Amino acid sequence: MDTRIILPQSEIPRAWYNPLPDLPTPLAPPLDPETKEPLTPEKLEPIFPRALIEQEMSGEREIAIPEEVRNTYSLWRPTPLVRAKRLEEAIGSKSRIYYKDESVSPTGSHKPNTAVAQAYFNKAAGISRLATETGAGQWGAALAFASRMLGLDCTVYMVRVSFEQKPYRRILIRTYDGEVHPSPSEHTKTGAEMLRQDPECKGSLGLAISEAVEDAAMNGDANYSLGSVLNHVLLHQTVMGLETKKQLEMAGQNPDYVIGCVGGGSNFAGMMLPFLPDKLEGKPINFVAAEPKACPTLTKGDFRYDYGDMTKLTPLIKMYTLGHSFMPPPIHSGGLRYHGGAPIMCNLVREGLVQAKSYFQEECFEAARLFQATEGYLPAPETSHAIKSAIDTAKQAEPGSNVVFLYSGHGLLDLAAYDAYLRSELGNYELPGESIEQALQSCPDVE
Amino acid sequence: MDTRIILPQSEIPRAWYNPLPDLPTPLAPPLDPETKEPLTPEKLEPIFPRALIEQEMSGEREIAIPEEVRNTYSLWRPTPLVRAKRLEEAIGSKSRIYYKDESVSPTGSHKPNTAVAQAYFNKAAGISRLATETGAGQWGAALAFASRMLGLDCTVYMVRVSFEQKPYRRILIRTYDGEVHPSPSEHTKTGAEMLRQDPECKGSLGLAISEAVEDAAMNGDANYSLGSVLNHVLLHQTVMGLETKKQLEMAGQNPDYVIGCVGGGSNFAGMMLPFLPDKLEGKPINFVAAEPKACPTLTKGDFRYDYGDMTKLTPLIKMYTLGHSFMPPPIHSGGLRYHGGAPIMCNLVREGLVQAKSYFQEECFEAARLFQATEGYLPAPETSHAIKSAIDTAKQAEPGSNVVFLYSGHGLLDLAAYDAYLRSELGNYELPGESIEQALQSCPDVE
């Protein structure tokens, strides 16, 4: 049996799996940030196309994937499911370890799965440009790629400190003809105002979101795109889990553990959601969400309404949150530093259907190095959390178990982080209870 | 039909193809640099294991690939053969364009194909450490990866200017536990002597070779590894062409053009050599070697004996050469700046079996950008020469032709070069005839 399980392109899923109708408890509705009343779809129309708003609240279990999206997916999909035999041997595992390899996409992560879909539905709605924010650049690169493939323009507001210190993903965005502005920028009122107050301002993700949303809301040709958290983003990411189901069937195996790292939650959810119906039918599948101890949203946060961003622009959403004012320590997993989490995923954690675990930064880098030393490839720091969790799980699992994790991206543009690790300059961060208590006080008083 | 043609791992070749018995004119023997007499195998034993020396001069058409090498290859092989349909459409091609994707290897290029084989045969000979040189770091990363997989130590002498200016591949080598010294270094007599003369010396590839060879020759536990030019290196690279043959058969197509970029020649030769017997039997296959006009070895060099390195340490080899004192202009394709070429490839050019073409730097970057805009992936600057050549060929070829090129690596660690291109800071370089004449005068007077 091959260690890489490959599906033909004809097996790229024809429909995404929408978990909304299957959730044991329905999602609490997002609330208008001003009125605190449930949000109406019309409120979202200045920045999202109707098709995506419909997906956001659809009751259909299956939502068809348009042929142009499948066609673009075929540049890298279906992605391989790989049996990590050398890793198993190195840890003396009696379980099989499989990883779903999303690092093979053009920008090196799972992000293009939703970027391509979002670009498609915006284009179909007559939009000619997408605006978004990006921190380290993983999402910005994915959206620039997708826009290039679908023939849209793309404007990326990149947190200034990353723009200056991490030039590689910024250049990658430029190679896809994406326009990149360091945020705060002079291109929006929000940015210009901030620069007037503080010309040296290094920016923040919240501020970059504000700029991108303003750009989209003020310009009729442009819409806004978000790379995680929202229901439609998780929906698009289910292609990963849907393929994995088929691949495990080809290998004649059932999954016992499905593991992913968690920032906003889209990679983990995109992997595990297609297995949710099986679990609800009684199959003994364990879903494990791996997060950093430095940003322990699911393991230490409160389940309540909070803003999605620091600047309180977004609707209020019910989720596990550390408080929207939470400032995470400077860990190298830039994609895992979000104060909240996708409502669908938080709902499943709340129901006890998903188990959350948290890990120190250094033990994750150690796991990444072991993966690299055995399987050959260098993982992204974010992905290392899933690897650490998979290794721990495989060691403790019943012999013969199948441990499946999502390999969300490669680390070739994160080499500075590995350099810091090799120089023993990383350090561990665990939030003390008091500082979490304090951050949680920023949550609004809404039931 | 899928655009990606995938072989199962069971189809990883079981033997490399050795072209030596099939060459219409035998290779001229390498000469001892002191005596100018044909080199005896014993001369090579201080730095190479016997198995590789035997491969270097073997008369066997097939050389078995050891199971441990196939097993390590299976981490990324067989690599996909991809139909570049979107590229075809963009250029209005009436030919099919296929690319063999070697960028999927753990270090992102074709280099691990020989690195793994060399590590294996050295380990089998009781060697515990490999020493090598690297310029931009592509070969150093591949050998560090291979050494890590096979359980050897690896010492890389990296040209100091690259060590300082291109930290990413240096860090990648370190993540594979490779030891990296900026060259000149204090670790060898050659390096220490150079530093005494010039403490600020930025190094050169020739100097780094000298350090690595000295390290290997002086230390019984260590051997030397070279990433191109030698017969055994090309031999190992034939896995690429052997797989491509099977993949084209699966697609029901015969190749009309087989194209690769050329520095030392190992990626091009590894791709085209397995098709050589077909051409010798009369099949109308065209082999095209694409080189930079800034280093026009095959199109403007002389076919004669020359040293393999600037410091005249290597045997004299008969090849196309610009003269070992040739200093190439500062183009961004670091891997294509070699003054000579692999004897096997040069022999085929000399026989008229391989056609060489040269290209300007900017037109290659343009081709790379078109590839990225259509197929999604960012190519290495070296690879862009093959892409440019494939695009030109497809446009001019008989309708219905099959144009197959080797996609030797991705450009994710070459983003600085794309940044320069986007800023219009690249420029073109074409060597004037006089400067080639002058460089050729450094060739030794040996017939």
Side-chain angles (χ1 to χ4, degrees):
Chain A
M1 185 74 201
D2 281 16
T3 52
R4 270 178 295 149
I5 305 164
I6 311 274
L7 292 169
Q9 285 166 331
S10 55
E11 296 278 354
I12 293 173
R14 292 176 190 277
W16 293 296
Y17 165 65
N18 174 22
L20 292 181
D22 289 338
L23 295 180
T25 309
L27 290 192
L31 305 182
D32 188 304
E34 284 157 31
T35 65
K36 311 286 194 288
E37 293 298 315
L39 199 72
T40 58
E42 296 72 43
K43 269 278 192 176
L44 298 171
E45 286 184 2
I47 58 169
F48 293 120
R50 200 162 295 181
L52 293 180
I53 297 171
E54 283 169 14
Q55 291 173 16
E56 193 64 21
M57 31 196 87
S58 169
E60 299 295 321
R61 206 166 257 110
E62 296 203 329
I63 292 176
I65 305 180
E67 269 314 294
E68 192 176 352
V69 173
R70 291 185 76 234
N71 186 14
T72 310
Y73 279 171
S74 76
L75 289 172
W76 76 98
R77 304 207 72 84
T79 62
L81 181 72
V82 187
R83 172 95 184 264
K85 270 205 159 173
R86 289 169 174 245
L87 177 61
E88 289 171 17
E89 283 160 22
I91 63 170
S93 168
K94 293 189 171 61
S95 304
R96 281 172 288 273
I97 302 178
Y98 292 94
Y99 69 94
K100 176 69 169 167
D101 187 3
E102 293 293 311
S103 75
V104 300
S105 83
T107 62
S109 83
H110 66 291
K111 292 286 187 190
N113 296 328
T114 185
V116 168
Q118 291 188 46
Y120 172 82
F121 288 110
N122 275 287
K123 181 179 153 190
I127 288 295
S128 63
R129 182 168 64 88
L130 291 175
T132 196
E133 74 287 339
T134 200
Q138 194 62 273
W139 168 242
L143 194 66
F145 154 73
S147 299
R148 189 76 183 83
M149 292 302 112
L150 278 290
L152 296 176
D153 291 333
C154 181
T155 307
V156 180
Y157 294 89
M158 187 170 188
V159 179
R160 185 177 292 268
V161 61
S162 296
F163 183 93
E164 289 170 354
Q165 289 178 4
K166 297 181 178 173
Y168 267 37
R169 283 218 180 84
R170 158 169 60 85
I171 302 168
L172 185 57
I173 295 170
R174 289 285 302 118
T175 63
Y176 288 113
D177 286 349
E179 201 174 283
V180 195
H181 302 302
S183 169
S185 78
E186 296 285 356
H187 292 262
T188 65
K189 284 185 196 165
T190 312
E193 173 61 26
M194 181 56 81
L195 285 172
R196 218 175 357 265
Q197 290 171 25
D198 176 9
E200 300 300 308
C201 178
K202 291 294 181 194
S204 70
L205 202 57
L207 187 61
I209 292 175
S210 306
E211 288 205 89
V213 170
E214 181 190 321
D215 182 338
M218 292 296 148
N219 293 289
D221 65 323
N223 263 346
Y224 172 69
S225 262
L226 193 67
S228 190
V229 179
L230 298 179
N231 299 346
H232 69 266
V233 177
L234 273 59
L235 172 79
H236 304 151
Q237 292 293 358
T238 60
V239 285
M240 304 188 296
L242 290 165
E243 286 177 9
T244 304
K245 275 188 92 158
K246 287 188 195 166
Q247 288 164 311
L248 285 171
E249 278 165 25
M250 282 170 69
Q253 301 294 341
N254 290 311
D256 297 291
Y257 297 87
V258 177
I259 299 172
C261 64
V262 164
S266 76
N267 90 60
F268 170 68
M271 181 67 170
M272 55 73 53
L273 284 174
F275 295 97
L276 179 63
D278 296 340
K279 185 173 174 89
L280 293 174
E281 280 171 16
K283 285 201 185 153
I285 311 178
N286 299 283
F287 301 127
V288 183
E291 66 180 12
K293 280 192 192 293
C295 188
T297 313
L298 300 175
T299 49
K300 297 278 182 71
D302 266 6
F303 186 70
R304 57 185 299 170
Y305 272 110
D306 195 6
Y307 296 98
D309 67 324
M310 287 182 87
T311 40
K312 306 190 199 178
L313 274 174
T314 70
L316 290 166
I317 45 183
K318 195 148 186 183
M319 59 184 177
Y320 282 93
T321 177
L322 296 166
H324 61 268
S325 73
F326 172 72
M327 285 291 292
I331 58 167
H332 282 279
S333 299
L336 307 187
R337 298 170 77 235
Y338 187 57
H339 70 276
I344 289 173
M345 177 185 66
C346 292
N347 178 291
L348 296 172
V349 172
R350 180 73 170 180
E351 296 286 323
L353 292 165
V354 165
Q355 191 187 1
K357 295 191 177 179
S358 65
Y359 299 94
F360 283 114
Q361 171 162 260
E362 288 187 348
E363 61 188 357
C364 292
F365 272 84
E366 265 165 50
R369 294 258 298 151
L370 178 60
F371 181 88
Q372 186 200 18
T374 50
E375 297 296 313
Y377 290 87
L378 187 74
E382 289 84 355
T383 311
S384 73
H385 292 73
I387 297 172
K388 169 63 180 164
S389 189
I391 289 173
D392 285 3
T393 302
K395 280 180 178 170
Q396 293 154 13
E398 195 87 355
S401 297
N402 290 310
V403 177
V404 188
F405 74 91
L406 186 77
Y407 190 80
S408 55
H410 64 62
L412 291 177
L413 298 185
D414 301 289
L415 282 162
Y418 283 93
D419 196 32
Y421 175 78
L422 293 168
R423 293 167 186 272
S424 305
E425 288 169 2
L426 270 196
N428 279 323
Y429 299 92
E430 183 170 21
L431 285 192
E434 314 85 81
S435 81
I436 295 175
E437 283 307 310
Q438 201 178 358
L440 279 171
Q441 286 169 18
S442 68
C443 292
D445 200 16
V446 178
E447 274 310 302
Chain B
M1 187 71 201
D2 282 14
T3 52
R4 272 177 293 148
I5 305 164
I6 310 274
L7 292 169
Q9 286 167 330
S10 56
E11 296 279 354
I12 293 173
R14 292 174 191 279
W16 292 297
Y17 166 65
N18 174 23
L20 292 181
D22 289 338
L23 296 179
T25 309
L27 291 191
L31 305 181
D32 188 303
E34 285 157 30
T35 65
K36 310 285 193 290
E37 293 298 316
L39 198 71
T40 58
E42 295 73 43
K43 269 277 191 177
L44 298 171
E45 287 184 1
I47 59 168
F48 292 121
R50 198 162 296 181
L52 293 180
I53 299 170
E54 283 169 14
Q55 290 172 14
E56 194 64 21
M57 32 196 86
S58 168
E60 299 295 321
R61 209 166 254 108
E62 295 203 330
I63 293 175
I65 304 180
E67 269 314 295
E68 191 175 352
V69 173
R70 290 186 77 235
N71 186 13
T72 310
Y73 279 170
S74 75
L75 289 172
W76 76 97
R77 304 208 72 85
T79 62
L81 182 70
V82 187
R83 173 95 183 265
K85 270 204 157 175
R86 289 169 173 246
L87 177 61
E88 289 172 16
E89 283 159 24
I91 63 170
S93 169
K94 293 190 171 62
S95 305
R96 281 173 287 273
I97 302 178
Y98 292 94
Y99 68 94
K100 176 71 168 167
D101 186 3
E102 293 294 311
S103 76
V104 299
S105 83
T107 61
S109 83
H110 66 291
K111 292 285 185 189
N113 296 328
T114 184
V116 168
Q118 292 189 45
Y120 171 82
F121 289 110
N122 274 288
K123 180 180 153 188
I127 289 295
S128 63
R129 183 168 64 89
L130 292 174
T132 196
E133 74 287 339
T134 200
Q138 194 63 273
W139 168 242
L143 194 67
F145 154 73
S147 299
R148 188 76 183 84
M149 292 301 113
L150 277 290
L152 297 175
D153 292 331
C154 181
T155 307
V156 179
Y157 294 89
M158 187 169 189
V159 179
R160 185 177 292 269
V161 62
S162 296
F163 184 93
E164 289 169 356
Q165 288 177 6
K166 298 181 179 175
Y168 266 38
R169 283 218 181 82
R170 156 169 61 85
I171 301 169
L172 185 58
I173 295 170
R174 290 285 301 117
T175 64
Y176 288 113
D177 287 350
E179 201 174 285
V180 195
H181 302 302
S183 169
S185 78
E186 295 286 358
H187 291 261
T188 65
K189 282 185 196 164
T190 312
E193 173 61 29
M194 181 57 77
L195 284 173
R196 215 170 5 260
Q197 289 171 27
D198 175 9
E200 301 299 308
C201 177
K202 291 293 179 195
S204 70
L205 202 58
L207 187 61
I209 293 175
S210 307
E211 288 205 88
V213 169
E214 181 191 319
D215 182 337
M218 292 296 147
N219 293 289
D221 65 324
N223 262 348
Y224 172 69
S225 262
L226 193 67
S228 190
V229 179
L230 298 178
N231 299 347
H232 69 266
V233 177
L234 274 58
L235 173 77
H236 304 151
Q237 293 291 0
T238 60
V239 285
M240 303 188 297
L242 290 165
E243 287 178 7
T244 304
K245 274 188 94 156
K246 286 188 194 165
Q247 288 164 311
L248 285 171
E249 278 165 25
M250 282 170 67
Q253 301 294 341
N254 291 311
D256 297 291
Y257 297 88
V258 177
I259 299 172
C261 65
V262 163
S266 75
N267 89 62
F268 170 68
M271 182 67 171
M272 55 71 55
L273 284 174
F275 295 96
L276 179 64
D278 295 340
K279 186 174 174 87
L280 294 174
E281 279 171 16
K283 287 202 183 152
I285 311 178
N286 300 283
F287 300 127
V288 182
E291 66 180 13
K293 281 192 191 293
C295 188
T297 313
L298 300 174
T299 48
K300 296 281 183 70
D302 266 6
F303 186 70
R304 57 185 299 171
Y305 272 110
D306 195 5
Y307 297 96
D309 68 326
M310 287 182 87
T311 39
K312 306 190 198 179
L313 273 173
T314 70
L316 289 166
I317 47 184
K318 196 149 187 182
M319 59 185 177
Y320 282 93
T321 177
L322 296 166
H324 61 269
S325 73
F326 172 72
M327 284 292 291
I331 57 166
H332 282 278
S333 300
L336 307 186
R337 298 170 76 235
Y338 188 58
H339 70 277
I344 289 173
M345 176 185 64
C346 292
N347 177 291
L348 296 173
V349 173
R350 180 71 171 182
E351 297 286 323
L353 292 164
V354 165
Q355 190 188 0
K357 295 192 176 178
S358 65
Y359 299 94
F360 283 114
Q361 170 162 260
E362 288 187 348
E363 61 188 357
C364 292
F365 271 84
E366 264 166 51
R369 293 257 298 151
L370 179 59
F371 181 87
Q372 186 200 16
T374 50
E375 298 296 314
Y377 291 87
L378 187 74
E382 290 84 354
T383 311
S384 72
H385 292 73
I387 296 172
K388 169 64 180 161
S389 189
I391 289 173
D392 284 4
T393 302
K395 280 179 178 169
Q396 294 154 11
E398 193 87 358
S401 297
N402 291 311
V403 178
V404 187
F405 73 91
L406 186 77
Y407 189 80
S408 56
H410 65 62
L412 291 178
L413 298 185
D414 300 290
L415 281 163
Y418 283 92
D419 196 32
Y421 174 78
L422 292 168
R423 293 167 186 272
S424 305
E425 288 171 0
L426 271 195
N428 279 322
Y429 299 92
E430 182 169 20
L431 285 190
E434 315 85 81
S435 82
I436 296 177
E437 283 307 311
Q438 200 178 359
L440 279 170
Q441 286 171 17
S442 68
C443 292
D445 200 15
V446 178
E447 275 310 304

